[in-house]
Amino acid sequence: MTDSATDSAAGPATARAGDVPLALPPVSAPYLLPFHYGALHNIGVDHLVDPAPVRAVLARRYPDLTAADFGGRACVTLNYQLYFAQYPSGGAIIQEIEYSVIALPTASTGRVARLSYEEFAQGYDQTKLLGIARLHVLCDSALAIAAGTRLFGEPKYPAWFEVTMPSPNGPVGELWDITCKAAVHSPREGAIERREETLFSFSADLTGLPRVPVNHTPVTGYGIDAAGRPLAGPMHVYQPYQYFRLSPAETGRVRLRVHDASAPAGADLLALIGDAPAAGAWSHQSAPVAAHNRPYYVPRSVTGGPAAG
């Protein structure tokens, strides 16, 4: 009987990487997990790119992750979120952009089926190990920046946004236009200070395009904690996303513009995406929960004066 057969029957003499159970990362006060979203509006755009620069970036920032391979291309993804958070003391409206690489733990590559980009985009990965290795997270809330950094190891820092997006309170259509502008932490606790410089912008006119409802959540978000340990945090979305496949004739509906190539996010966008066309887009918008309807006139009584109120 060979040594490998003995190990298979009785177990290896020494534990392999991944065989030793890991402790859960701490959740420091005052945070509670899971964090529940009251509403979420989300647009994402994927680009299939040359894998060599992506692998080089991951080797520096996420040495325990490997870039997903979609037919010899890596996938770099950019997504904007507008979400509402409700707390015992009130509420907050938060915006952010995540710029990420689709990746998975190198130690777990044997667990993930070989998928095309189309299959991945439609949620075929049942392990959910194919997640987002965040390179930049730009956010307009100092509180959310602190929480994302401390809990999930996100590379999160201040920015602010000018946005046009689909809304039942606006024109018919599916036009997203997101501009990301510079900001810095404020000396005032819990605040950021806006700057006028534009870092980058992207737009997606998805009006009239065929869409497919997909279930690709939970989305696993990868980060690095203060001690350099890799973290993975899943985010569940309880309604399907809408996936838009972009044919070569439709890629012009998505545009990415870098306004400040010297800023870290702009430099990475140019280095990894450059002029590569978008391969697909995906969106989610929470359904309205109430509507305040048009008023109507109340008949006046014969002897009545002006209506009260």
Side-chain angles (χ1 to χ4, degrees):
M1 183 175 290
T2 64
D3 289 343
S4 60
T6 302
D7 285 349
S8 176
T14 58
R16 297 185 299 267
D19 289 341
V20 179
L22 299 174
L24 286 172
V27 178
S28 55
Y31 304 111
L32 298 173
L33 290 177
F35 171 77
H36 295 279
Y37 292 64
L40 172 66
H41 299 269
N42 192 192
I43 176 69
V45 177
D46 297 336
H47 293 78
L48 297 178
V49 301
D50 179 0
V54 173
R55 290 170 184 153
V57 168
L58 281 186
R60 294 195 305 270
R61 303 191 194 181
Y62 290 93
D64 296 291
L65 299 184
T66 293
D69 184 339
F70 299 114
R73 308 294 281 175
C75 182
V76 178
T77 184
L78 193 67
N79 85 83
Y80 162 81
Q81 302 174 25
L82 166 68
Y83 56 93
F84 170 71
Q86 184 264 327
Y87 303 102
S89 58
I93 298 174
I94 299 165
Q95 300 177 87
E96 63 182 62
I97 286 177
E98 294 177 316
Y99 174 43
S100 311
V101 172
I102 303 302
L104 73 161
T106 304
S108 301
T109 53
R111 294 182 53 199
V112 178
R114 184 177 292 108
L115 300 175
S116 68
Y117 166 72
E118 286 282 327
E119 291 169 331
F120 163 74
Q122 296 186 60
Y124 284 26
D125 173 29
Q126 298 304 303
T127 70
K128 303 309 177 185
L129 290 169
L130 290 175
I132 54 171
R134 302 178 179 99
L135 304 180
H136 299 273
V137 183
L138 302 103
C139 180
D140 67 358
S141 165
L143 297 178
I145 292 169
T149 302
R150 292 177 63 182
L151 294 176
F152 302 107
E154 299 177 22
K156 200 165 190 173
Y157 54 94
W160 66 284
F161 308 93
E162 293 178 341
V163 176
T164 299
M165 60 188 294
S167 170
N169 297 318
V172 175
E174 188 128 7
L175 173 64
W176 300 77
D177 195 347
I178 316 298
T179 298
C180 180
K181 310 195 81 168
V184 296
H185 284 287
S186 170
R188 294 183 297 113
E189 184 178 359
I192 67 170
E193 291 183 357
R194 295 181 173 187
R195 299 287 189 260
E196 286 305 314
E197 298 83 8
T198 297
L199 301 177
F200 62 91
S201 59
F202 69 97
S203 62
D205 185 357
L206 308 176
T207 305
L209 289 181
R211 66 194 67 196
V212 178
V214 298
N215 176 25
H216 65 186
T217 73
V219 174
T220 301
Y222 292 108
I224 302 288
D225 73 6
R229 293 168 296 194
L231 299 174
M235 176 177 170
H236 291 260
V237 178
Y238 302 137
Q239 294 173 277
Y241 272 80
Q242 302 297 315
Y243 167 62
F244 301 81
R245 179 185 179 275
L246 298 175
S247 70
E250 295 161 342
T251 57
R253 287 174 172 258
V254 174
R255 293 186 60 197
L256 170 64
R257 299 169 291 276
V258 174
H259 300 264
D260 186 353
S262 66
D268 275 346
L269 286 166
L270 288 174
L272 301 188
I273 296 178
D275 58 1
W282 38 275
S283 69
H284 171 278
Q285 291 196 272
S286 293
V289 297
H292 201 156
N293 294 303
R294 182 174 180 168
Y296 57 91
Y297 288 112
V298 176
R300 300 175 65 179
S301 66
V302 175
T303 58

